[in-house]
Amino acid sequence: MPNHYHFDVVMTCSGCSNAIDRVLKRMGPDVSKYTISLENQAVDVETDLPLETVLTKIERTGKEVRNSSVVDTPLI
């Protein structure tokens, strides 16, 4: 069963959320689902990859990740 990770990411515009969207899409089949909420400044990812791998990819977009956590429930 894939892991569900939650990231609190500083995003100020649609360009910010689009940058994260592009990075997660490029991760291809390693990321089974994800949601990005500009309004809530949150990114949820369902993947078999380690949290640190996804965190590094998001940080490489230049966005500040304030918090990251493993969530017990699957991403719907």
Side-chain angles (χ1 to χ4, degrees):
M1 176 171 211
N3 299 306
H4 176 186
Y5 303 134
H6 177 82
F7 302 92
D8 294 319
V9 183
V10 177
M11 297 180 282
T12 58
C13 64
S14 61
C16 296
S17 59
N18 289 338
I20 294 170
D21 182 62
R22 284 190 300 275
V23 164
L24 293 174
K25 277 184 183 173
R26 280 190 226 130
M27 294 177 79
D30 291 328
V31 173
S32 52
K33 292 181 194 176
Y34 65 89
T35 60
I36 301 167
S37 173
L38 177 59
E39 181 180 329
N40 296 324
Q41 297 198 15
V43 178
D44 284 274
V45 179
E46 197 169 272
T47 181
D48 290 323
L49 296 170
L51 183 133
E52 294 77 20
T53 301
V54 181
L55 175 61
T56 299
K57 293 286 187 180
I58 293 172
E59 288 177 331
R60 285 187 182 162
T61 66
K63 309 304 166 227
E64 177 189 355
V65 179
R66 291 184 180 158
N67 187 36
S68 60
S69 60
V70 177
V71 181
D72 291 334
T73 58
L75 184 60
I76 298 173

